[in-house]
Short mmCIF file of all heavy atoms in Angstrom, two decimals:
data_model
loop_
_atom_site.label_atom_id
_atom_site.label_comp_id
_atom_site.label_asym_id
_atom_site.label_seq_id
_atom_site.Cartn_x
_atom_site.Cartn_y
_atom_site.Cartn_z
N PHE A 27 0.54 -15.24 26.05
CA PHE A 27 -0.67 -15.91 26.59
C PHE A 27 -1.57 -14.98 27.41
O PHE A 27 -2.50 -15.45 28.07
CB PHE A 27 -0.23 -17.10 27.51
CG PHE A 27 0.65 -18.05 26.81
CD1 PHE A 27 2.01 -18.17 27.15
CD2 PHE A 27 0.16 -18.88 25.78
CE1 PHE A 27 2.85 -19.07 26.50
CE2 PHE A 27 1.01 -19.79 25.14
CZ PHE A 27 2.36 -19.88 25.47
N ALA A 28 -1.24 -13.69 27.42
CA ALA A 28 -2.05 -12.69 28.16
C ALA A 28 -2.12 -13.07 29.64
O ALA A 28 -1.15 -13.51 30.20
CB ALA A 28 -3.42 -12.52 27.50
N GLU A 29 -3.31 -12.91 30.24
CA GLU A 29 -3.45 -13.13 31.66
C GLU A 29 -3.18 -14.58 32.04
O GLU A 29 -2.67 -14.87 33.13
CB GLU A 29 -4.83 -12.71 32.18
CG GLU A 29 -5.99 -13.49 31.64
CD GLU A 29 -6.55 -12.91 30.34
OE1 GLU A 29 -5.81 -12.19 29.65
OE2 GLU A 29 -7.74 -13.18 30.06
N LYS A 30 -3.44 -15.52 31.16
CA LYS A 30 -3.14 -16.95 31.44
C LYS A 30 -1.66 -17.17 31.64
O LYS A 30 -1.26 -18.01 32.43
CB LYS A 30 -3.72 -17.86 30.35
CG LYS A 30 -5.24 -17.86 30.22
CD LYS A 30 -5.70 -18.79 29.16
CE LYS A 30 -7.23 -18.82 29.03
NZ LYS A 30 -7.76 -17.51 28.62
N GLY A 31 -0.85 -16.48 30.86
CA GLY A 31 0.58 -16.59 30.99
C GLY A 31 1.07 -16.13 32.34
O GLY A 31 2.00 -16.70 32.94
N LEU A 32 0.48 -15.06 32.84
CA LEU A 32 0.86 -14.52 34.16
C LEU A 32 0.48 -15.45 35.28
O LEU A 32 1.21 -15.66 36.24
CB LEU A 32 0.25 -13.13 34.37
CG LEU A 32 0.72 -12.03 33.43
CD1 LEU A 32 0.00 -10.75 33.70
CD2 LEU A 32 2.23 -11.81 33.56
N ILE A 33 -0.71 -16.05 35.15
CA ILE A 33 -1.17 -17.02 36.16
C ILE A 33 -0.24 -18.22 36.17
O ILE A 33 0.16 -18.72 37.26
CB ILE A 33 -2.61 -17.44 35.89
CG1 ILE A 33 -3.57 -16.26 36.09
CG2 ILE A 33 -3.01 -18.61 36.81
CD1 ILE A 33 -5.00 -16.52 35.71
N ALA A 34 0.14 -18.69 34.98
CA ALA A 34 1.09 -19.83 34.89
C ALA A 34 2.41 -19.46 35.55
O ALA A 34 3.02 -20.29 36.23
CB ALA A 34 1.29 -20.23 33.44
N TRP A 35 2.84 -18.21 35.34
CA TRP A 35 4.12 -17.80 35.94
C TRP A 35 4.03 -17.77 37.46
O TRP A 35 4.96 -18.15 38.14
CB TRP A 35 4.51 -16.42 35.45
CG TRP A 35 5.82 -16.00 36.07
CD1 TRP A 35 5.99 -15.21 37.20
CD2 TRP A 35 7.14 -16.43 35.70
NE1 TRP A 35 7.30 -15.14 37.50
CE2 TRP A 35 8.03 -15.87 36.60
CE3 TRP A 35 7.63 -17.22 34.65
CZ2 TRP A 35 9.40 -16.08 36.52
CZ3 TRP A 35 8.97 -17.46 34.57
CH2 TRP A 35 9.85 -16.87 35.49
N VAL A 36 2.90 -17.30 37.98
CA VAL A 36 2.73 -17.28 39.46
C VAL A 36 2.86 -18.68 40.04
O VAL A 36 3.50 -18.91 41.08
CB VAL A 36 1.36 -16.67 39.85
CG1 VAL A 36 1.04 -16.88 41.32
CG2 VAL A 36 1.34 -15.17 39.53
N VAL A 37 2.25 -19.67 39.35
CA VAL A 37 2.34 -21.05 39.83
C VAL A 37 3.80 -21.55 39.80
O VAL A 37 4.31 -22.08 40.79
CB VAL A 37 1.45 -21.95 38.96
CG1 VAL A 37 1.73 -23.44 39.30
CG2 VAL A 37 -0.01 -21.64 39.13
N LEU A 38 4.46 -21.34 38.68
CA LEU A 38 5.86 -21.77 38.54
C LEU A 38 6.76 -21.12 39.54
O LEU A 38 7.56 -21.75 40.23
CB LEU A 38 6.36 -21.44 37.11
CG LEU A 38 7.84 -21.66 36.86
CD1 LEU A 38 8.20 -23.13 36.94
CD2 LEU A 38 8.25 -21.06 35.50
N ALA A 39 6.63 -19.81 39.68
CA ALA A 39 7.52 -19.04 40.58
C ALA A 39 7.28 -19.39 42.05
O ALA A 39 8.23 -19.45 42.84
CB ALA A 39 7.35 -17.53 40.35
N THR A 40 6.04 -19.63 42.42
CA THR A 40 5.71 -19.95 43.80
C THR A 40 6.36 -21.29 44.20
O THR A 40 6.97 -21.38 45.28
CB THR A 40 4.19 -20.03 44.04
OG1 THR A 40 3.59 -18.78 43.63
CG2 THR A 40 3.87 -20.29 45.46
N ILE A 41 6.25 -22.27 43.34
CA ILE A 41 6.84 -23.60 43.66
C ILE A 41 8.35 -23.52 43.62
O ILE A 41 9.05 -24.05 44.51
CB ILE A 41 6.33 -24.64 42.67
CG1 ILE A 41 4.81 -24.86 42.85
CG2 ILE A 41 7.06 -25.98 42.83
CD1 ILE A 41 4.16 -25.79 41.81
N THR A 42 8.89 -22.88 42.60
CA THR A 42 10.34 -22.82 42.44
C THR A 42 11.03 -22.06 43.60
O THR A 42 12.05 -22.49 44.11
CB THR A 42 10.71 -22.12 41.11
OG1 THR A 42 10.09 -22.80 40.03
CG2 THR A 42 12.22 -22.11 40.88
N ALA A 43 10.40 -20.94 43.99
CA ALA A 43 10.98 -20.15 45.07
C ALA A 43 11.06 -20.94 46.38
O ALA A 43 12.00 -20.76 47.13
CB ALA A 43 10.15 -18.89 45.26
N ASN A 44 10.08 -21.81 46.60
CA ASN A 44 10.07 -22.58 47.84
C ASN A 44 11.18 -23.64 47.88
O ASN A 44 11.55 -24.14 48.98
CB ASN A 44 8.72 -23.26 48.02
CG ASN A 44 7.63 -22.27 48.43
OD1 ASN A 44 7.87 -21.43 49.26
ND2 ASN A 44 6.49 -22.35 47.81
N ILE A 45 11.70 -24.03 46.74
CA ILE A 45 12.84 -24.94 46.71
C ILE A 45 14.14 -24.15 46.80
O ILE A 45 15.07 -24.48 47.53
CB ILE A 45 12.82 -25.77 45.40
CG1 ILE A 45 11.53 -26.63 45.38
CG2 ILE A 45 14.05 -26.68 45.30
CD1 ILE A 45 11.34 -27.40 44.08
N GLU A 46 14.21 -23.06 46.03
CA GLU A 46 15.42 -22.23 46.00
C GLU A 46 15.78 -21.65 47.36
O GLU A 46 16.95 -21.45 47.68
CB GLU A 46 15.26 -21.08 45.03
CG GLU A 46 15.36 -21.44 43.55
CD GLU A 46 15.36 -20.23 42.66
OE1 GLU A 46 14.66 -19.23 42.96
OE2 GLU A 46 16.08 -20.23 41.65
N VAL A 47 14.73 -21.38 48.18
CA VAL A 47 14.95 -20.69 49.43
C VAL A 47 15.77 -21.54 50.41
O VAL A 47 16.26 -21.06 51.45
CB VAL A 47 13.62 -20.27 50.08
CG1 VAL A 47 12.90 -21.45 50.71
CG2 VAL A 47 13.77 -19.13 51.07
N LEU A 48 15.90 -22.82 50.13
CA LEU A 48 16.70 -23.71 50.98
C LEU A 48 18.21 -23.43 50.85
O LEU A 48 18.99 -23.83 51.68
CB LEU A 48 16.44 -25.16 50.61
CG LEU A 48 15.04 -25.73 50.85
CD1 LEU A 48 14.90 -27.09 50.18
CD2 LEU A 48 14.78 -25.81 52.36
N ILE A 49 18.58 -22.70 49.79
CA ILE A 49 20.00 -22.43 49.51
C ILE A 49 20.38 -21.07 50.05
O ILE A 49 19.76 -20.07 49.73
CB ILE A 49 20.26 -22.49 47.97
CG1 ILE A 49 19.85 -23.83 47.42
CG2 ILE A 49 21.73 -22.22 47.68
CD1 ILE A 49 19.92 -23.91 45.90
N LEU A 50 21.39 -21.02 50.85
CA LEU A 50 21.93 -19.76 51.41
C LEU A 50 23.21 -19.39 50.69
O LEU A 50 24.13 -20.18 50.58
CB LEU A 50 22.19 -19.95 52.92
CG LEU A 50 22.50 -18.66 53.72
CD1 LEU A 50 21.30 -17.71 53.74
CD2 LEU A 50 22.92 -19.04 55.16
N ILE A 51 23.25 -18.15 50.13
CA ILE A 51 24.40 -17.70 49.40
C ILE A 51 24.87 -16.35 49.94
O ILE A 51 24.20 -15.72 50.77
CB ILE A 51 24.13 -17.55 47.90
CG1 ILE A 51 23.09 -16.43 47.68
CG2 ILE A 51 23.65 -18.87 47.29
CD1 ILE A 51 22.95 -16.00 46.22
N LYS A 52 26.02 -15.93 49.47
CA LYS A 52 26.52 -14.58 49.79
C LYS A 52 26.75 -13.85 48.48
O LYS A 52 27.44 -14.32 47.61
CB LYS A 52 27.81 -14.64 50.60
CG LYS A 52 28.26 -13.27 51.12
CD LYS A 52 29.37 -13.38 52.11
CE LYS A 52 29.71 -12.02 52.70
NZ LYS A 52 30.78 -12.12 53.74
N ALA A 53 26.09 -12.67 48.36
CA ALA A 53 26.24 -11.84 47.18
C ALA A 53 26.07 -10.38 47.55
O ALA A 53 25.29 -10.07 48.47
CB ALA A 53 25.21 -12.22 46.12
N PHE A 54 26.80 -9.51 46.88
CA PHE A 54 26.78 -8.08 47.19
C PHE A 54 27.12 -7.84 48.66
O PHE A 54 26.63 -6.87 49.28
CB PHE A 54 25.43 -7.46 46.84
CG PHE A 54 25.00 -7.63 45.43
CD1 PHE A 54 24.03 -8.55 45.09
CD2 PHE A 54 25.62 -6.87 44.44
CE1 PHE A 54 23.65 -8.71 43.76
CE2 PHE A 54 25.25 -7.05 43.09
CZ PHE A 54 24.26 -7.96 42.77
N GLY A 55 27.93 -8.74 49.23
CA GLY A 55 28.38 -8.56 50.62
C GLY A 55 27.34 -8.95 51.66
O GLY A 55 27.52 -8.69 52.83
N LEU A 56 26.27 -9.62 51.21
CA LEU A 56 25.15 -9.93 52.10
C LEU A 56 24.83 -11.45 52.10
O LEU A 56 24.85 -12.05 51.04
CB LEU A 56 23.89 -9.13 51.73
CG LEU A 56 24.00 -7.60 51.74
CD1 LEU A 56 22.79 -6.99 51.06
CD2 LEU A 56 24.13 -7.08 53.20
N GLU A 57 24.51 -11.95 53.27
CA GLU A 57 23.95 -13.32 53.32
C GLU A 57 22.52 -13.29 52.91
O GLU A 57 21.74 -12.45 53.37
CB GLU A 57 24.08 -13.85 54.78
CG GLU A 57 25.46 -14.00 55.34
CD GLU A 57 26.16 -15.25 54.81
OE1 GLU A 57 25.48 -16.12 54.19
OE2 GLU A 57 27.37 -15.38 55.03
N GLN A 58 22.14 -14.18 52.04
CA GLN A 58 20.76 -14.16 51.52
C GLN A 58 20.38 -15.53 51.03
O GLN A 58 21.25 -16.35 50.69
CB GLN A 58 20.61 -13.12 50.40
CG GLN A 58 21.55 -13.36 49.23
CD GLN A 58 21.48 -12.25 48.22
OE1 GLN A 58 20.58 -12.20 47.41
NE2 GLN A 58 22.45 -11.32 48.30
N THR A 59 19.08 -15.80 50.99
CA THR A 59 18.57 -17.04 50.45
C THR A 59 18.27 -16.84 48.97
O THR A 59 17.95 -15.74 48.51
CB THR A 59 17.32 -17.51 51.16
OG1 THR A 59 16.29 -16.54 51.01
CG2 THR A 59 17.55 -17.74 52.64
N LEU A 60 18.39 -17.91 48.23
CA LEU A 60 17.87 -17.87 46.86
C LEU A 60 16.32 -17.89 46.93
O LEU A 60 15.74 -18.15 47.94
CB LEU A 60 18.37 -19.07 46.05
CG LEU A 60 19.81 -18.98 45.54
CD1 LEU A 60 20.14 -20.23 44.69
CD2 LEU A 60 20.05 -17.73 44.73
N GLY A 61 15.72 -17.62 45.80
CA GLY A 61 14.25 -17.59 45.80
C GLY A 61 13.71 -16.20 45.85
O GLY A 61 12.53 -15.97 45.60
N ASN A 62 14.55 -15.22 46.25
CA ASN A 62 14.06 -13.84 46.40
C ASN A 62 13.52 -13.31 45.08
O ASN A 62 12.46 -12.67 45.02
CB ASN A 62 15.18 -12.93 46.87
CG ASN A 62 15.58 -13.25 48.31
OD1 ASN A 62 14.81 -13.79 49.08
ND2 ASN A 62 16.82 -12.91 48.65
N ILE A 63 14.24 -13.52 43.99
CA ILE A 63 13.82 -12.99 42.70
C ILE A 63 12.55 -13.69 42.20
O ILE A 63 11.59 -13.02 41.79
CB ILE A 63 14.97 -13.18 41.66
CG1 ILE A 63 16.13 -12.24 42.01
CG2 ILE A 63 14.46 -12.85 40.27
CD1 ILE A 63 17.36 -12.39 41.15
#
């Protein structure tokens, strides 16, 4: 979708990350929230 695909991804990732960040996990020996990726 060229640039439209990237804009759609920004929308999806912004909303999704704000929900994932509520979850606290431990990985690679570190406390971290989801949503980072």
Side-chain angles (χ1 to χ4, degrees):
F27 306 109
E29 64 271 23
K30 294 182 179 65
L32 295 177
I33 293 172
W35 179 265
V36 169
V37 171
L38 171 67
T40 303
I41 294 174
T42 304
N44 286 317
I45 299 174
E46 285 187 323
V47 78
L48 295 169
I49 304 172
L50 191 64
I51 65 168
K52 188 169 185 178
F54 302 106
L56 300 168
E57 296 282 349
Q58 56 188 280
T59 60
L60 283 183
N62 293 335
I63 292 174

